[in-house]
Amino acid sequence: MKIGVSLLQGMIMKLLKTFFLLCLPLSGFSQIYDTDMLSKDFHKGRREAIRKFLPNNTCAVIFAGAERQRANDTKFIYHQDPNFYYLTGLTEPNAMLIIFKEEQTFYDSIKTNELIFVQDRDAAKESWIGKILGKEGVATKLGFSTVLINKQFADFKIDFEKLDKVYHLEFNDDVRDDKNNKGDLYSLIKHFRSKTTNTATNCDNITLAGWLATLREIKQPEELVLMRKAIDMTCMAHNEIMKALEPEMKEYQAQAVVEYMFKHQGSEYVGYPSIVGGGENSCILHYETNRKKLVGLDLLVIDAGAEYHGYTADVTRTLPVDGKFSAQEKIIYNIVLEAQEAGIKACVPGAEFRAAHKAAVAVIQKGLLDNGIINNSIDFLEYFFHGTSHYLGLDVHDPGSYGKLIPGSIITVEPGIYIPAGSKCDPMWWNIGIRIEDDVLITTGDPEVLSAKSPKKIEEIEALMKEESLFNKIK
């Protein structure tokens, strides 16, 4: 019998695709090359922890993070939703997880207390973007017993109506529909909504976030290992820019030194866009333009943190571009440093979350009053108008209870004083912007400053800035 050319080509392509899928390894790039990823037992333990929160006859539904379009057909590097990663270890998009309180039976043959729907392997796609785990990879590498392809969810017989409660996180409104992918995140959410239409009163999009915040607030030992690595990388980078910084350098060149050091040590990404602001830009809290040429009289605020296996550091140092703090800069710097030290001292178990902020504010109020920069205590808000602390972990602003401080949590302590030109004080203080930030582990006793490897006292910074850096030879 004769076979048409197009049919024959199709058969050949199908055979080749099958061959490639059999030959390709089961793990993604990070699992191939990195040996210190969180274990599948860690993620399984986190799912068990969520299951303990669940009342009888309920489930929790969590979706992977959305892919973000940068421009035209170019996407931003994919970053998994931290909650989804925390519970699964999966770093791929277009997936969803369902955790049941009790074991469920589907199609008389599937007995499980959790389901994960993931993208299928595709040899052609993998030649462009790299390896995809697929069903076998997620089962083997991530330890799931019941793995299904995301396209199967549309027709999967799951009766949410029989459950007393369906817990899920609030949906973002920026999920795009890939018309060519019936298993994309848009489709998963659409079909979830259609399957819960009759159970809308049983859907809860608030409670699950609180449970996850409670869990993520306290870092497990495996998480602390990764946090320490990210913070050590960050400290080394801050120390290197102290050596390399010199007048005429551009803000982006200082940024390049810091971020090179991150990458050189194994960081995958920055934990957030690096803030590198000199002179007048030192007074802008989240300045990210980083294009100004630095001059000798400028102060440079560098707020930058490495991300390692999903966990991020958050460290800020303020440096004199010419290597020496002026008399006015020393006064403001030491007020901020004293405020930070008071804030860190307040980071003890059982203290309220804002204890560090209150301690820092008291020091800054007195310092500004003593130097005639403000006339009334409340006026400190003109120059210190942000909080002193936030939780740190898989997010740079990690979720947490914001209640009493608990051993095992990591918070920042980052007071600052910012006096832009035109402020209601003597012009000799203008364009002095100073922030000092460290990452602090709450222990059962005294707090541990995880970022202590980067100096912050004036004499220590000035001494390190006298040392030579290899980057000074790059012109």
Side-chain angles (χ1 to χ4, degrees), residues 26-258:
L26 289 175
S27 55
F29 283 128
S30 60
Q31 285 80 3
I32 290 175
Y33 299 118
D34 291 300
T35 59
D36 60 346
M37 303 292 290
L38 291 172
S39 69
K40 58 185 177 184
D41 290 333
F42 169 84
H43 299 292
K44 182 178 181 180
R46 299 298 83 202
R47 297 196 296 276
E48 289 298 331
I50 282 291
R51 190 170 284 111
K52 289 179 181 177
F53 281 113
L54 289 172
N56 291 335
N57 197 38
T58 64
C59 76
V61 181
I62 304 97
F63 292 87
E67 295 180 284
R68 308 295 181 188
Q69 206 74 15
R70 185 178 187 274
N72 193 17
D73 59 350
T74 303
K75 295 177 181 176
F76 284 102
I77 294 174
Y78 183 69
H79 192 282
Q80 184 60 276
D81 175 81
N83 284 319
F84 193 84
Y85 177 75
Y86 185 72
L87 296 173
T88 68
L90 183 65
T91 58
E92 298 175 3
N94 302 323
M96 68 180 291
L97 170 70
I98 307 176
I99 301 172
F100 297 96
K101 178 67 173 183
E102 301 92 0
E103 185 177 76
Q104 308 290 312
T105 300
F106 302 99
Y107 300 101
D108 297 325
S109 59
I110 301 175
K111 295 182 184 298
T112 184
N113 60 3
E114 58 188 19
L115 298 168
I116 187 167
F117 294 83
V118 303
Q119 59 185 353
D120 201 0
R121 301 200 65 189
D122 184 326
K125 185 176 181 180
E126 290 179 49
S127 67
W128 287 90
I129 67 168
K131 309 300 183 290
I132 295 170
L133 284 176
K135 286 179 62 174
E136 294 80 7
V138 170
T140 303
K141 300 296 182 181
L142 302 183
F144 282 90
S145 59
T146 308
V147 186
L148 299 160
I149 298 303
N150 50 21
K151 295 177 184 178
Q152 294 178 271
F153 180 63
D155 298 320
F156 193 81
K157 303 301 182 185
I158 180 169
D159 186 4
F160 288 109
E161 291 187 38
K162 73 175 185 179
L163 299 173
D164 294 334
K165 212 75 167 177
V166 177
Y167 299 97
H168 64 90
L169 301 177
E170 192 172 10
F171 296 117
N172 295 322
D173 58 3
D174 56 350
V175 179
R176 294 192 175 202
D177 182 13
D178 182 349
K179 304 295 185 183
N180 298 315
N181 187 351
K182 300 303 181 183
D184 67 349
L185 181 62
Y186 182 94
S187 298
L188 289 171
I189 293 174
K190 179 182 73 173
H191 292 301
F192 170 73
R193 283 175 162 160
S194 69
K195 291 175 186 292
T196 56
T197 299
N198 297 326
T199 60
T201 56
N202 290 342
C203 287
D204 180 332
N205 66 354
I206 297 173
T207 305
L208 180 57
W211 293 339
L212 284 162
T214 298
L215 293 179
R216 287 176 56 186
E217 179 178 346
I218 309 303
K219 302 301 182 282
Q220 302 300 304
E222 302 96 319
E223 294 178 282
L224 288 175
V225 170
L226 299 182
M227 286 293 298
R228 290 181 187 276
K229 285 188 177 183
I231 294 167
D232 284 351
M233 291 174 182
T234 301
C235 289
M236 186 173 288
H238 277 278
N239 294 353
E240 192 62 37
I241 190 56
M242 290 182 193
K243 300 175 188 178
L245 186 61
E246 57 187 5
E248 302 300 306
M249 182 180 279
K250 307 289 199 311
E251 291 169 336
Y252 60 78
Q253 291 174 319
Q255 176 185 356
V257 171
V258 171

Side-chain angles (χ1 to χ4, degrees), residues 419-462:
I419 312 176
S423 295
K424 300 173 185 178
C425 61
D426 193 310
M428 71 177 180
W429 305 109
W430 288 2
N431 286 334
I432 294 179
I434 293 169
R435 180 164 67 255
I436 307 170
E437 178 182 21
D438 281 298
D439 304 335
V440 179
L441 173 65
I442 309 303
T443 74
T444 55
D446 294 332
E448 179 184 352
V449 180
L450 299 176
S451 48
K453 291 180 180 178
S454 186
K456 58 185 177 182
K457 292 183 178 179
I458 285 177
E459 58 273 19
E460 294 172 340
I461 291 174
E462 290 182 343

Side-chain angles (χ1 to χ4, degrees), residues 182-465:
K182 300 303 181 183
D184 67 349
L185 181 62
Y186 182 94
S187 298
L188 289 171
I189 293 174
K190 179 182 73 173
H191 292 301
F192 170 73
R193 283 175 162 160
S194 69
K195 291 175 186 292
T196 56
T197 299
N198 297 326
T199 60
T201 56
N202 290 342
C203 287
D204 180 332
N205 66 354
I206 297 173
T207 305
L208 180 57
W211 293 339
L212 284 162
T214 298
L215 293 179
R216 287 176 56 186
E217 179 178 346
I218 309 303
K219 302 301 182 282
Q220 302 300 304
E222 302 96 319
E223 294 178 282
L224 288 175
V225 170
L226 299 182
M227 286 293 298
R228 290 181 187 276
K229 285 188 177 183
I231 294 167
D232 284 351
M233 291 174 182
T234 301
C235 289
M236 186 173 288
H238 277 278
N239 294 353
E240 192 62 37
I241 190 56
M242 290 182 193
K243 300 175 188 178
L245 186 61
E246 57 187 5
E248 302 300 306
M249 182 180 279
K250 307 289 199 311
E251 291 169 336
Y252 60 78
Q253 291 174 319
Q255 176 185 356
V257 171
V258 171
E259 294 183 6
Y260 170 83
M261 293 301 295
F262 290 170
K263 282 286 189 182
H264 179 69
Q265 299 171 89
S267 165
E268 294 96 336
Y269 314 107
V270 293
Y272 50 94
S274 297
I275 299 166
V276 185
E280 66 275 15
N281 298 326
S282 68
C283 298
I284 302 173
L285 263 63
H286 283 180
Y287 172 76
E288 296 173 5
T289 306
N290 301 352
R291 304 300 296 178
K292 169 185 161 66
K293 178 188 285 188
L294 301 168
V295 299
L297 297 179
D298 285 341
L299 282 175
L300 181 65
V301 172
I302 302 178
D303 185 339
E307 181 182 299
Y308 187 68
H309 296 352
Y311 289 84
T312 183
D314 187 4
V315 177
T316 306
R317 293 293 184 262
T318 302
L319 314 175
V321 172
D322 62 3
K324 292 285 291 183
F325 289 92
S326 70
Q328 289 77 25
E329 290 167 352
K330 284 183 178 180
I331 290 170
I332 302 300
Y333 189 95
N334 282 325
I335 294 172
V336 175
L337 181 59
E338 183 184 348
Q340 198 217 23
E341 290 173 339
I344 292 172
K345 189 176 180 180
C347 294
V348 295
E352 61 175 301
F353 185 84
R354 287 178 59 82
H357 181 68
K358 291 179 178 179
V361 164
V363 173
I364 287 175
Q365 284 178 316
K366 183 177 185 302
L368 294 176
L369 282 167
D370 289 349
N371 288 279
I373 298 172
I374 60 174
N375 297 315
N376 300 294
S377 294
I378 192 62
D379 292 339
F380 84 93
L381 289 168
E382 292 286 330
Y383 307 114
F384 176 34
F385 41 86
H386 61 79
T388 299
S389 300
H390 58 78
Y391 292 107
L392 189 64
L394 284 169
D395 279 302
V396 67
H397 292 164
D398 222 36
S401 65
Y402 288 89
K404 303 289 186 182
L405 294 178
I406 307 171
S409 63
I410 298 176
I411 68 171
T412 63
V413 179
E414 50 177 313
I417 294 175
Y418 316 90
I419 312 176
S423 295
K424 300 173 185 178
C425 61
D426 193 310
M428 71 177 180
W429 305 109
W430 288 2
N431 286 334
I432 294 179
I434 293 169
R435 180 164 67 255
I436 307 170
E437 178 182 21
D438 281 298
D439 304 335
V440 179
L441 173 65
I442 309 303
T443 74
T444 55
D446 294 332
E448 179 184 352
V449 180
L450 299 176
S451 48
K453 291 180 180 178
S454 186
K456 58 185 177 182
K457 292 183 178 179
I458 285 177
E459 58 273 19
E460 294 172 340
I461 291 174
E462 290 182 343
L464 190 56
M465 292 187 74

